[in-house]
Amino acid sequence: MKQLFNHLNFDQMRQFGTFFGLLALCALFTILSPHFFTTSNLLNVAQQSAIIAVISVGMTFVIITAGIDLSVGSVLAFSGVVMASVLHAGLPIPIGIAVGMAVGFTCGLVNGMLVTYGKIPPFIATLGMMSIARGAGLWYTDGRPISGFDDSFRFLANGEIFHIPVPVIIMIVVYAAAHFVLTRTKMGRYTYAIGGNADAARLSGINIKLYLNIIYGIAGLLSALAAVMLTARLNSAQPIAGIMYELDAIAATVIGGTSLFGGKGTVIGTLIGALIIGVLRNGLNLLGVSSFIQQIVIGSVIIGAILLDTNLKNSKK
Amino acid sequence: MTNTESILEMYDIRKEFPGVLALDDVQLSLKKGEVHVLLGENGAGKSTLMKILSGAYVKDSGEIYIDGNFTEIQSPAHAQELGIGIIYQEFNLNPYLSVAENIFLGREPVYFPGVIHWEKLYNEAQAILDSLNVKINARHKVESLGVAMQQMVEVAKALSLKARILIMDEPTASLSNNEIESLFKTILHLKKQGVAIVYISHRLGEIFEIGDRVTVLRDGKYIATKPVNEITREDMIRMMVNRDLDDQIPKVKADIGETILKVENLNVNERLKEISFELYRGEILGIAGLMGSGRTRLAKTLFGAETISSGKIWIEGREVSLKSPRDAINAGIGLVTEDRKSEGLVLDLSVKQNISLPNIKKFIKAGVLNFNKENAVADEYITRLKIKTPSRNQSVVYLSGGNQQKVVLSKWLCSDTKIFIFDEPTRGIDVGAKTEIYQLMNRLTANGAAIIMISSEMPEILGMSDRILVMRDGQISGELSDLEATQEKIMNYALGESHEAAV
């Protein structure tokens, strides 16, 4: 075991630390509540975490480039209601989903263009988009939810394949693909390079603007995918859906070890981060802790994780 | 040890930074009412000495006497109290505040604490400005003033602090001729009032016009102090550069081949003017010049990182358009930047990942990175260039300067580079690694590559170059073959100004 750790660098150690944190949390809730460590509850946690987890993948890419995307929750709502209106117009499910995804991707692309060509800081560009997409969704629906869908659509939330809930499968597929892209493709390598040192990346011949646009576009696309999952689960697309999701996604990413300064991070870490938040919510619910106190606990966990991170790093350097 | 008419004496001043002895027993004395010129190449130690005098650095050893009294200057605030003022090239003014507010920033006259006595503020500021014989309204905002007038505000600020010693760092660098005239009038005025001025400038002509004495520093050492009217321009240049070149540089001449790069009438905004030159296979073309002469901009332009206003570039006889670093890389150009950490490397990425970065498509098959190939190539460069790293997966942030520089070199070797541009290739690198870098350059030219080497280090320029271009004010001011090049000739071109202008 010790030998294993000697081969790991700080970031890999960090990831193990987060993973052990998740295990410790599970152990704690198993002791405190008889209902926690059951197959159905654990699948439940995974299912509840899936939507935030999918959004967090886009967030992780963006944060690795030293950016941020505050618009993910609003983009989710807007692309969700557009998709729902297409489905209600009687068009086939794949077309509805495709339209929703296109809306999400476009919102993300606009973010990217504001950041790259407009030279606006990501915080401000996506803050603007957060308001614009939210307003667009409300305006489009007149503030009313669009409800009631075919069972074949709702299968995306309630269905199971080999006893595994479909949202969990979607989550696993998204994470596998994102992990592959980040570790084994040109785009992944460029993502780290841009966030680590944009000047050096540019002087290595990387077309920074192109890749940032793609990355913000993907963040929007994944928000739209989350919209599909949420709409299917609620059997309703709501223009007020996804409020504060950006904060959960940022929290999952940061707990997972991605640096807000860019250049570092993994989607595996983010998945663990998203699960930690999911387990906390679920466990505290089982223990009957009020949702007000839950917010305090989750906030503390975020700060604690980063405090630990920063101090460990400083003591190492 | 002290002299009654001298206002400042500095003896045996020593300052060491990690790996560099910036000042080695340097001395300086100032008399009341003199303009004392401090002369030396980039990195000679002028700034370090002035930072010690103005309290920004603490000396390692040495003695300072002010008015004959032994004094330890502890901080910038303490230096101010002692009557030492400094005017940097970059002004420390708030453009949105009035001239008067800037002059008295933090020391505003008040009715009672917290309430500014505006009339007094403006009147006192105006009085100082008037005493300098400059037409500036103390109530105007600083942003409405030109560079020369802003400089006057800095002077007024220093005087309001009762400065008796005024340090001016290249005060004429961004002034027009008329403005220089009025600055000199002000300086003469200050002299009459007994203010001693330390004047740093590379414009030798000015020194004869305004200076009383000159102190020359070279490589952190004190060379001499002379009255200006007893020495010539040639004397000054000799003192600045006349170092022994104990030839440690292992230059191996390669066969010079055909033209590989040709640049014709290249202009970039007003920063580079009518640059034309050719570069040959197997050649190391040294580019010398002072800081700010446009050398780095030329490097960046050839690498596609600056927008070309006009001019043509040919590579291997074909005209090329270099609009981005990608264009330059594809054309076979590699840039080893002046600052490895901020521009050359992604510090968090590993040795391997940095090496493959400019040419990652080499390692991609069907969209997927081929780790085996990437590992093998990284290992090959680690062995070939003797990069000291525990593994190819080590983040480059943990490597030493010399090894980081080898990683940067590997990046370009891996990208099939034919034209290497080195900007200060051995800055911040220890002696052993320096030699290795030179040997690598020899190997590159032996294999038919061509090198453009920008350097501020005379031994490096003289030792490694086959031919030397000297730049000044964005232009090529001279070309020297390796046989005719001397430190004096390079300095002469770098400083510009003909002999006549100096007299």
Side-chain angles (χ1 to χ4, degrees):
Chain A
M1 193 75 168
K2 201 169 176 191
Q3 237 176 3
L4 173 70
F5 281 127
N6 283 340
H7 285 290
L8 298 174
N9 62 32
F10 177 80
D11 297 301
Q12 288 163 323
M13 296 273 278
R14 168 73 170 73
Q15 202 149 91
F16 268 96
T18 319
F19 184 62
F20 285 129
L22 176 62
L23 290 186
L25 212 53
C26 290
L28 183 72
F29 285 127
T30 307
I31 294 164
L32 294 177
S33 163
H35 307 294
F36 180 79
F37 202 79
T38 60
T39 314
S40 67
N41 187 53
L42 290 180
L43 281 176
N44 190 23
V45 170
Q47 196 166 0
Q48 282 169 349
S49 307
I51 290 168
I52 289 296
V54 165
I55 295 176
S56 303
V57 168
M59 189 66 79
T60 304
F61 273 77
V62 170
I63 290 181
I64 291 175
T65 68
I68 194 98
D69 188 351
L70 300 178
S71 69
V72 287
S74 300
V75 170
L76 178 153
F78 182 41
S79 49
V81 293
V82 172
M83 173 192 68
S85 72
V86 171
L87 293 178
H88 271 213
L91 288 159
I93 291 170
I95 295 197
I97 291 176
V99 170
M101 301 282 249
V103 169
F105 184 73
T106 307
C107 290
L109 206 58
V110 171
N111 280 334
M113 299 213 285
L114 289 172
V115 170
T116 54
Y117 296 104
K119 298 186 172 39
I120 304 175
F123 188 94
I124 303 299
T126 60
L127 186 69
M129 179 57 72
M130 176 174 167
S131 183
I132 291 168
R134 178 67 63 198
L138 286 162
W139 178 53
Y140 187 73
T141 59
D142 227 357
R144 285 186 287 269
I146 301 173
S147 305
F149 299 99
D150 288 350
D151 282 347
S152 51
F153 180 72
R154 301 202 61 207
F155 178 79
L156 292 169
N158 303 333
E160 288 183 0
I161 299 173
F162 301 120
H163 301 295
I164 302 172
V166 174
V168 176
I169 292 174
I170 294 175
M171 174 176 82
I172 291 168
V173 169
V174 167
Y175 271 85
H179 180 72
F180 181 81
V181 168
L182 265 185
T183 56
R184 311 254 5 189
T185 70
K186 181 163 94 171
M187 180 172 141
R189 189 64 63 75
Y190 284 3
T191 305
Y192 288 109
I194 291 168
N197 187 343
D199 285 329
R202 191 172 70 97
L203 292 176
S204 295
I206 296 172
N207 186 341
I208 293 181
K209 287 182 176 161
L210 172 71
Y211 284 94
L212 281 179
N213 276 307
I214 296 174
I215 286 163
Y216 279 93
I218 288 174
L221 189 76
L222 289 172
S223 296
L225 178 60
V228 174
M229 296 158 74
L230 187 65
T231 306
R233 190 171 94 199
L234 302 177
N235 195 20
S236 169
Q238 305 190 347
I240 53 159
I243 287 176
M244 300 279 273
Y245 277 22
E246 61 282 346
L247 295 187
D248 274 356
I250 294 168
T253 306
V254 169
I255 291 172
T258 298
S259 162
L260 280 174
F261 298 111
K264 281 182 174 185
T266 62
V267 286
I268 305 297
T270 300
L271 179 60
I272 298 167
L275 290 175
I276 284 178
I277 294 176
V279 165
L280 262 178
R281 285 236 163 86
N282 175 272
L284 294 172
N285 271 335
L286 290 179
L287 297 178
V289 176
S290 90
S291 68
F292 303 152
I293 295 175
Q294 283 184 29
Q295 291 191 31
I296 297 174
V297 174
I298 289 173
S300 308
V301 167
I302 295 169
I303 293 171
I306 304 310
L307 269 180
L308 205 66
D309 210 15
T310 319
N311 291 319
L312 279 178
K313 219 177 255 172
N314 288 343
S315 70
K316 214 185 167 200
K317 273 188 184 161
Chain B
M1 252 192 119
T2 56
N3 181 331
T4 44
E5 68 165 351
S6 76
I7 186 167
L8 170 78
E9 308 264 328
M10 299 175 88
Y11 295 109
D12 304 333
I13 304 295
R14 193 181 172 83
K15 177 75 186 173
E16 199 171 351
F17 295 109
V20 195
L21 186 53
L23 290 175
D24 185 3
D25 296 346
V26 167
Q27 64 184 73
L28 178 71
S29 74
L30 280 184
K31 294 177 194 167
K32 272 184 189 147
E34 82 164 333
V35 174
H36 194 123
V37 179
L38 196 54
L39 198 58
E41 290 178 282
N42 300 336
K46 299 172 308 232
S47 306
T48 310
L49 186 64
M50 289 305 103
K51 281 185 175 161
I52 287 171
L53 182 55
S54 61
Y57 288 162
V58 178
K59 60 182 165 39
D60 294 345
S61 63
E63 292 172 5
I64 298 174
Y65 296 87
I66 291 175
D67 295 328
N69 302 318
F70 179 80
T71 310
E72 290 284 358
I73 300 170
Q74 280 147 2
S75 67
H78 186 211
Q80 256 178 25
E81 277 171 38
L82 293 165
I84 299 164
I86 183 162
I87 299 170
Y88 292 102
Q89 276 186 64
E90 306 281 326
F91 305 143
N92 287 313
L93 297 173
N94 182 330
Y96 309 115
L97 295 181
S98 69
V99 170
E101 287 170 282
N102 268 287
I103 291 175
F104 288 104
L105 196 63
R107 302 171 291 125
E108 296 85 353
V110 293
Y111 285 113
F112 49 85
V115 180
I116 293 174
H117 193 325
W118 289 100
E119 275 316 303
K120 202 173 167 192
L121 175 77
Y122 288 127
N123 290 340
E124 286 186 9
Q126 197 64 55
I128 296 171
L129 292 165
D130 291 346
S131 79
L132 283 169
N133 275 326
V134 291
K135 291 190 187 69
I136 298 176
N137 186 334
R139 292 170 187 264
H140 284 176
K141 293 238 159 68
V142 164
E143 64 175 340
S144 69
L145 304 177
V147 183
M149 290 298 120
Q150 292 194 12
Q151 193 172 47
M152 287 303 152
V153 175
E154 286 275 15
V155 173
K157 189 174 174 181
L159 293 181
S160 78
L161 286 156
K162 310 267 182 293
R164 299 175 304 142
I165 298 169
L166 191 58
I167 304 161
M168 302 180 103
D169 188 3
E170 297 213 40
T172 56
S174 45
L175 300 189
S176 70
N177 285 337
N178 287 339
E179 291 170 337
I180 291 173
E181 279 311 307
S182 73
L183 172 70
F184 284 180
K185 272 188 203 150
T186 307
I187 289 177
L188 290 175
H189 188 73
L190 292 172
K191 275 180 65 163
K192 277 192 205 126
Q193 298 177 355
V195 176
I197 294 168
V198 181
Y199 190 93
I200 298 176
S201 176
H202 286 119
R203 299 186 177 183
L204 300 188
E206 279 173 24
I207 294 170
F208 290 101
E209 196 175 337
I210 196 78
D212 295 309
R213 289 195 296 164
V214 178
T215 289
V216 180
L217 303 183
R218 186 205 309 147
D219 300 336
K221 291 193 180 67
Y222 171 81
I223 303 303
T225 301
K226 303 267 176 165
V228 166
N229 55 23
E230 286 178 19
I231 58 168
T232 64
R233 177 191 161 89
E234 284 66 37
D235 293 334
M236 287 188 201
I237 290 180
R238 197 170 315 119
M239 288 193 283
M240 281 166 78
V241 299
N242 193 15
R243 61 173 69 77
D244 300 328
L245 296 172
D246 62 327
D247 217 10
Q248 294 290 338
I249 293 178
K251 166 76 175 176
V252 180
K253 269 193 165 293
D255 295 332
I256 306 290
E258 75 273 26
T259 304
I260 189 165
L261 171 75
K262 186 177 168 193
V263 176
E264 205 175 89
N265 300 333
L266 187 69
N267 288 282
V268 173
N269 291 326
E270 289 293 303
R271 308 305 190 92
L272 291 182
K273 286 168 266 181
E274 298 296 319
I275 304 271
S276 298
F277 68 90
E278 290 187 38
L279 175 72
Y280 307 100
R281 261 182 217 288
E283 181 185 43
I284 296 183
L285 176 64
I287 299 189
L290 299 172
M291 266 193 281
S293 60
R295 299 172 304 172
T296 295
R297 196 174 296 271
L298 175 60
K300 290 247 170 90
T301 305
L302 292 176
F303 194 61
E306 295 268 344
T307 311
I308 296 173
S309 312
S310 66
K312 289 179 174 176
I313 299 170
W314 288 267
I315 289 172
E316 294 178 319
R318 220 173 318 132
E319 191 176 344
V320 291
S321 150
L322 303 174
K323 290 208 172 68
S324 70
R326 175 48 59 195
D327 291 342
I329 293 167
N330 291 343
I333 302 177
L335 173 65
V336 180
T337 52
E338 185 177 4
D339 188 336
R340 298 182 276 289
K341 289 186 178 163
S342 76
E343 294 187 322
L345 296 167
V346 183
L347 292 173
D348 284 335
L349 290 188
S350 67
V351 172
K352 167 181 88 177
Q353 290 168 328
N354 271 289
I355 291 175
S356 62
L357 200 57
N359 202 8
I360 203 161
K361 61 175 186 285
K362 235 182 175 173
F363 307 99
I364 301 267
K365 207 174 167 191
V368 183
L369 270 169
N370 181 339
F371 282 162
N372 290 335
K373 192 171 170 196
E374 198 186 18
N375 289 341
V377 169
D379 285 343
E380 182 196 327
Y381 287 111
I382 289 169
T383 318
R384 243 173 74 186
L385 272 62
K386 302 199 195 82
I387 302 173
K388 284 194 200 80
T389 174
S391 96
R392 59 181 175 246
N393 296 319
Q394 176 81 332
S395 296
V396 292
V397 68
Y398 299 109
L399 268 53
S400 71
N403 285 302
Q404 286 183 343
Q405 190 70 315
K406 290 180 190 173
V407 175
V408 177
L409 262 174
S410 306
K411 274 173 66 168
W412 301 121
L413 289 170
C414 178
S415 309
D416 306 318
T417 302
K418 294 172 289 197
I419 300 167
F420 289 82
I421 306 173
F422 286 85
D423 195 353
E424 303 287 359
T426 60
R427 175 166 294 175
I429 289 175
D430 65 78
V431 184
K434 257 187 190 178
T435 308
E436 283 184 71
I437 301 281
Y438 294 141
Q439 283 163 347
L440 273 166
M441 291 168 113
N442 286 334
R443 250 190 282 162
L444 291 174
T445 50
N447 291 331
I451 294 176
I452 295 174
M453 182 186 73
I454 296 168
S455 175
S456 295
E457 292 195 34
M458 283 280 189
E460 185 167 284
I461 279 277
L462 287 167
M464 287 304 290
S465 309
D466 294 295
R467 197 156 53 96
I468 297 164
L469 298 179
V470 187
M471 288 188 72
R472 188 177 90 85
D473 286 343
Q475 286 169 302
I476 292 176
S477 58
E479 178 175 342
L480 296 161
S481 71
D482 59 338
L483 292 175
E484 58 184 340
T486 62
Q487 302 190 72
E488 286 83 356
K489 284 180 186 164
I490 292 173
M491 210 44 173
N492 207 2
Y493 281 129
L495 294 166
E497 295 173 16
S498 58
H499 300 240
E500 302 84 72
V503 178

